[in-house]
């Protein structure tokens, strides 16, 4: 096992280190979500923390890490007698993005359960992480149902595995840490709320600090053991402080004055539900214990708010997380009059540096730059990938703001797919309604009980059945086939030419695309953006799970010049070709936003028609959002939809509250081979 980078050698990233330490003191805080660009020490900090956790005593031979003094009475390996155990280091377990449900929660041997009536259970990662750290890198890319299982276990302190009436329960209490790069997609708000704390991390832009980052990392890479040895004393101090804070935690008093400040703060920032109040209370208590105090002070409440509230204030995926600190201070001051008079106002009476305005959150270390996960501060590229359309014709107009978004009708891909779990189009999935049964391919994951019994029933006499039990063999087992929803690749092909440049018109168009982006976020799609104007087209945003990035590109999109419709369609076709090689199971939905005019290049109308027929020949689902306005309409968007083999819809008809069902129209178009224009 390689020597981890020392936690105290991390430079900067104060909020990240404090949030991790608070969870080490009190896992009841609920874990921490670390958001930030790549190369900002997210993974390094989490792995470094594991080396600071005190050893745990476990029952010898127990796969579920039961504590010898109080073993879990429901432990699948039990019952255990209370007594001496063995000490081992606290584990850090990593959950891969592509993990299955069985790998996370464990697998139950259905065949033995049915035939022998025994619970043969193979523990999963939740059992391995009990009394340690469970680390999920790129948690925003994890399937939603796995995130739900993970957060449920973290909240309840136990994991349940149930298959056809056979159930297993075991303890699962762990420090949960998730990291994510917002550029690759956001977590849904209800999942964000389940993380206790969140911190934003970014690489330093100060040259001197970046130099120190590189210096320390190079020294570690050259001699990990020697580098760790130089920080051993500081590591020991922090380790001892964690143990002391854990021991002090039960004695920390959360007075009525602090509780009023917590409640008033959550109300002032209009967070949903009561989880924020509870998390703030636990965090403030942990801050006091970390500072060595038995009373929660106003500064603890303030720091708790900065860690526990920013991610709970997001109302949609385009809201930037954050907190108005002036408003926070005003609220704390207004409701701070009831603070207990016997509370010591000095957070550090011994003068040893344990307190401070952040509740004593700083472990002993040198000040310095922010540490990067791979040894260097990765500066965000500021040129070359900004997606701005190049100059392409006279009359370019400045970008206009998008109109107000609205709830759109559902656009879906016809047929039955097998792509990644999502919420848009019909697909064969592991979760959903049961539609039939088949012989299992590999391990059995979802038993179809009726089909299994039906397959075993004719053979009972030949198998010598004599009692009431059913004699079941592996050949009898049947896997349930289920139908749910998949996420798709929604590729937007947006006309940014001069014919679209009227300010009110382009604002409405951007508002419609923004609305579709919001819908894509909720349905767990990947999105891409191709724009065309002037003399050509470009990929403003390659397919990504980050609708935030697409919204930014859309907002800065200028207009002007001719309408190279063929170029836009051909560029979109190339994007789909490349993406099909990367992710062949994810079906695309092409949304062309245009008035249908084609004026760029040689024979623009004929070229656009030929390009559109490429999509029809390959069967790509498509929708044309007709942006034509005014009393005289040429109907060119409808003609384009016909050549694409898709359907056309006006901006007004895109709204969910308008007449006629768009999903029905899209499916009818593909089912009948004809194209309808919703009008």
């Amino acid at each position: 096992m390689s020597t981890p980078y020392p936690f105290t050698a991390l430079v900067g990233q104060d909020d990240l280190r404090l949030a991790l330490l608070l969870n080490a003191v009190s896992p009841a805080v609920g874990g921490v979500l670390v958001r930030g660009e790549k190369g900002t020490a997210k993974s390094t900090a989490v792995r470094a923390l594991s080396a600071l956790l005190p050893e745990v005593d476990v029952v010898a031979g127990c796969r579920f890490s039961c504590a010898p003094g109080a073993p879990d009475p429901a432990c699948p390996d039990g019952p255990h007698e209370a007594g001496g155990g063995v000490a081992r280091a606290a584990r850090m377990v990593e959950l891969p993005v592509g993990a299955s449900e069985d790998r996370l929660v464990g697998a139950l041997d259905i065949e033995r359960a049915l035939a022998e009536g025994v619970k043969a259970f193979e523990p999963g990662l939740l059992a391995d992480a009990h009394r340690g750290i469970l680390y999920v890198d790129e948690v925003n890319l994890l399937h939603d149902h796995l995130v739900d299982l993970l957060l449920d276990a973290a909240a309840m302190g136990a994991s349940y595995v149930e298959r056809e009436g056979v159930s297993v329960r075991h303890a699962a209490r762990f420090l949960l840490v998730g990291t994510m790069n917002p550029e690759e997609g956001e977590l849904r708000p209800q999942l964000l709320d389940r993380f206790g704390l969140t911190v934003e991390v970014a690489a330093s832009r100060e040259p001197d600090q970046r130099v120190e980052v590189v210096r320390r990392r190079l020294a570690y890479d050259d001699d990990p053991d020697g580098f760790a040895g130089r920080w051993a004393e500081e590591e020991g101090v922090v380790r001892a402080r964690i143990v002391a804070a854990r021991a002090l935690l039960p004695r920390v008093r959360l007075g009525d004055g602090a509780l009023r400040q917590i409640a008033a703060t959550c109300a002032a920032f209009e967070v949903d539900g009561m989880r924020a109040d509870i998390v703030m209370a636990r965090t403030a208590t942990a801050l006091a214990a970390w500072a060595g105090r038995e009373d929660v002070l106003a500064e603890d409440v303030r720091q708790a708010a900065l860690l526990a509230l920013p991610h709970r204030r997001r109302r949609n995926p385009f809201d930037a997380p954050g907190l108005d600190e002036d408003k926070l201070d005003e609220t704390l001051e207004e409701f701070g009059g009831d603070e207990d008079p016997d509370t010591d106002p000095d957070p550090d009476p011994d003068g040893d540096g344990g307190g401070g305005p952040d509740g004593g959150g700083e472990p002993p270390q040198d000040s310095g730059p922010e540490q990067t996960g791979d040894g260097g501060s990765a500066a965000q590229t500021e040129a070359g990938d900004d997606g701005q359309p190049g100059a392409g014709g006279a009359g370019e107009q400045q970008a206009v703001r998008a109109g107000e978004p609205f709830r759109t009708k559902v656009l879906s891909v016809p047929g039955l797919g097998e792509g990644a779990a999502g919420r848009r189009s019909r697909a064969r999935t592991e979760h959903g309604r049961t539609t039939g049964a088949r012989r299992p391919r590999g391990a059995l994951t979802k038993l179809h009980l009726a089909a299994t019994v039906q397959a075993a029933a004719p053979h009972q006499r030949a198998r010598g059945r004599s009692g009431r039990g059913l004699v079941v063999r592996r050949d009898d087992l049947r896997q349930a086939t289920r139908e749910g929803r998949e996420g798709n690749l929604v590729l937007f092909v947006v006309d940014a030419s001069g014919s679209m440049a009227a300010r009110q018109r382009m604002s409405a168009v951007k508002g419609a695309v923004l609305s579709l982006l919001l819908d894509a976020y909720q349905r767990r799609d990947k999105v891409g953006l191709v724009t065309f104007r002037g003399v050509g087209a470009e990929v403003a945003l390659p397919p990504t799970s980050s609708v935030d990035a697409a919204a930014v590109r859309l907002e800065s999109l200028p207009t002007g010049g001719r309408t190279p419709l063929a170029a836009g369609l051909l560029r979109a076709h190339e994007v789909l070709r490349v993406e099909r090689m990367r992710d062949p199971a994810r079906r695309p939905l092409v949304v062309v936003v245009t008035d249908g005019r084609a004026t760029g290049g040689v024979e623009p109308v004929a070229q656009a028609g030929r390009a559109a027929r490429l999509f029809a020949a390959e069967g790509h689902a498509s929708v044309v959002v007709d942006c034509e306005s005014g009393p005289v309409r040429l109907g060119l968007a409808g003609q384009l939809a016909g050549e694409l083999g898709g359907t056309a819809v006006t901006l007004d008809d895109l709204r969910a509250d308008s007449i006629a069902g768009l999903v029905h129209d899209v499916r009818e178009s593909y089912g009948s081979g004809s194209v309808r224009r919703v009008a």
Side-chain angles (χ1 to χ4, degrees):
M1 181 177 179
S2 60
T3 303
Y5 193 95
F7 189 84
T8 49
L10 295 170
V11 189
Q13 307 295 28
D14 297 343
D15 287 343
L16 170 59
R17 293 184 294 115
L18 177 58
L20 291 173
L21 290 168
L22 293 177
N23 275 274
V25 170
S26 175
V29 166
V32 57
L33 175 65
V34 187
R35 297 164 43 92
E37 60 195 29
K38 52 188 175 291
T40 48
K42 300 189 296 292
S43 300
T44 299
V46 178
R47 294 188 176 96
L49 178 69
S50 64
L52 292 179
L53 297 183
E55 288 187 336
V56 294
D57 292 326
V58 299
V59 173
C62 178
R63 297 174 298 167
F64 300 87
S65 302
C66 282
D72 182 3
C75 176
D77 283 356
H80 303 299
E81 293 184 2
V86 296
R88 64 160 175 79
R91 293 173 179 159
M92 191 195 79
V93 177
E94 295 193 42
L95 174 62
V97 169
S100 65
E101 180 179 336
D102 284 347
R103 185 71 185 97
L104 177 63
V105 301
L108 192 64
D109 190 329
I110 298 296
E111 182 180 5
R112 292 189 63 191
L114 290 176
E116 304 173 28
V118 298
K119 296 179 181 179
F121 182 69
E122 184 65 29
L125 295 176
L126 292 179
D128 293 342
H130 180 46
R131 304 175 69 196
I133 298 175
L134 182 60
Y135 172 49
V136 189
D137 195 14
E138 307 294 354
V139 65
N140 51 324
L141 303 183
L142 200 65
H143 286 173
D144 282 357
H145 73 280
L146 292 182
V147 178
D148 287 331
L149 289 170
L150 176 66
L151 295 176
D152 283 343
M156 296 185 297
S159 174
Y160 295 84
V161 182
E162 299 198 17
R163 298 283 170 81
E164 308 299 337
V166 181
S167 64
V168 173
R169 174 209 168 275
H170 64 82
R173 293 183 296 275
F174 45 81
L175 194 168
L176 175 63
V177 183
T179 61
M180 60 175 284
N181 183 350
E183 294 178 352
E184 297 173 346
E186 284 287 356
L187 277 173
R188 291 184 285 125
Q190 56 267 47
L191 297 180
L192 279 172
D193 183 57
R194 301 292 294 276
F195 280 94
L197 310 179
T198 187
V199 292
E200 297 279 335
V201 295
S204 172
R205 297 299 186 259
E206 292 295 327
D208 290 343
Q209 294 181 349
R210 296 172 76 96
V211 165
E212 182 62 22
V213 168
V214 176
R215 179 182 292 117
R216 291 191 184 186
R217 185 67 198 206
L218 291 178
Y220 169 76
D221 290 340
D222 288 342
D223 182 9
D225 292 335
F227 184 82
R230 292 194 291 275
W231 291 90
E233 183 177 350
E234 288 83 351
E235 293 281 283
V237 171
V238 176
R239 189 178 295 110
R241 190 172 173 185
I242 292 173
V243 173
R246 284 184 174 185
L248 178 62
L249 187 65
R251 304 198 303 272
V252 174
R253 188 171 67 93
L254 183 65
D256 289 343
L259 275 173
R260 282 178 57 82
Q261 287 183 317
I262 290 170
T265 300
C266 292
F269 286 100
E270 300 179 352
V271 296
D272 295 330
M274 295 297 297
R275 183 176 283 117
D277 303 62
I278 297 170
V279 171
M280 273 190 66
R282 289 173 173 165
T283 305
T285 303
L287 279 161
W290 177 248
R293 289 185 271 100
E294 294 189 6
D295 290 288
V296 173
L297 304 182
E299 62 232 37
D300 300 323
V301 176
R302 185 182 192 278
Q303 183 66 60
L306 293 174
L307 293 172
L309 296 188
H311 60 302
R312 293 185 165 88
R313 297 192 62 248
R314 290 171 63 100
R315 290 296 182 266
N316 67 64
F318 306 139
D319 289 341
L323 215 61
D324 184 340
E325 295 194 31
D326 290 337
K327 181 178 179 180
L328 173 61
D329 291 335
E330 290 174 4
T331 303
L332 293 176
E333 183 177 356
E334 179 181 354
F335 290 88
D338 295 329
E339 195 164 331
D340 300 326
D342 59 339
T343 299
D344 186 357
D346 183 4
D348 185 20
D350 299 326
D352 61 357
D358 61 355
E362 293 304 312
Q365 69 155 53
D366 295 338
S367 61
E370 297 169 3
Q371 173 68 30
T372 63
D374 59 359
S377 297
Q380 185 72 17
T381 302
E382 297 179 355
D385 63 346
D386 59 0
Q388 293 297 320
E396 178 176 307
Q397 296 192 11
Q398 198 171 21
V400 299
R401 295 187 61 83
E404 195 67 25
F406 52 84
R407 188 167 66 90
T408 67
K409 288 181 177 176
V410 182
L411 305 173
S412 64
V413 178
L416 195 63
E418 295 183 347
R423 297 183 172 188
R424 184 172 296 279
S425 304
R426 294 174 55 225
R428 298 182 185 91
T429 61
E430 287 293 318
H431 299 269
R433 63 184 181 90
T434 300
T435 58
R438 61 171 173 80
R439 291 182 182 273
R441 305 186 190 103
L444 178 71
T445 56
K446 300 292 182 181
L447 178 74
H448 194 296
L449 184 59
T452 298
V453 172
Q454 187 176 9
H459 308 292
Q460 297 305 294
R461 187 183 299 275
R463 293 173 182 173
R465 173 184 169 185
S466 58
R468 299 177 61 185
L470 187 69
V471 181
V472 179
R473 295 180 179 172
R474 178 164 290 279
D475 289 344
D476 302 326
L477 299 178
R478 294 296 182 267
Q479 174 85 22
T481 57
R482 303 193 175 195
E483 182 179 312
R485 294 280 169 176
E486 67 177 359
N488 298 108
L489 166 60
V490 182
L491 182 61
F492 294 94
V493 185
V494 180
D495 183 350
S497 65
S499 63
M500 302 280 288
R503 183 165 296 272
Q504 290 184 347
R505 184 179 181 187
M506 197 60 196
S507 177
V509 169
K510 286 187 175 183
V513 178
L514 187 64
S515 303
L516 290 168
L517 284 171
L518 280 166
D519 183 68
Y521 165 79
Q522 294 163 354
R523 300 186 187 282
R524 309 301 288 166
D525 296 315
K526 292 179 72 174
V527 296
L529 178 62
V530 173
T531 63
F532 58 94
R533 68 186 183 95
V535 296
E538 68 174 323
V539 181
L541 183 71
T544 176
S545 297
S546 175
V547 295
D548 284 15
V552 171
R553 301 295 197 272
L554 177 70
E555 194 70 28
S556 60
L557 179 66
T559 56
R562 293 183 176 274
T563 311
L565 178 57
L569 295 175
L570 290 173
R571 182 58 64 92
H573 185 270
E574 176 63 15
V575 170
L576 295 184
R577 184 188 68 80
V578 173
E579 193 64 19
R580 186 165 55 244
M581 293 188 290
R582 293 175 177 168
D583 191 357
R586 190 180 291 268
R587 297 186 295 163
L589 173 65
V590 181
V591 180
V592 185
V593 185
T594 182
D595 56 12
R597 290 181 173 86
T599 60
V602 180
E603 297 182 338
V605 176
Q607 292 281 7
R610 283 193 287 271
R613 288 190 287 273
L614 280 175
F615 286 87
E618 297 185 7
H620 294 311
S622 60
V623 174
V624 177
V625 179
D626 184 359
C627 302
E628 193 173 28
S629 59
V632 179
R633 302 195 180 194
L634 303 178
L636 298 176
Q639 295 176 26
L640 175 62
E643 292 172 320
L644 285 168
T647 190
V649 57
T650 65
L651 287 173
D652 289 338
D653 291 326
L654 192 60
R655 295 179 179 271
D657 54 0
S658 66
I659 61 171
L662 184 57
V663 176
H664 173 76
D665 293 315
V666 173
R667 289 177 176 166
E668 182 176 304
S669 299
Y670 281 90
S672 65
S674 62
V675 177
R676 291 183 57 186
R677 182 179 185 279
V678 182

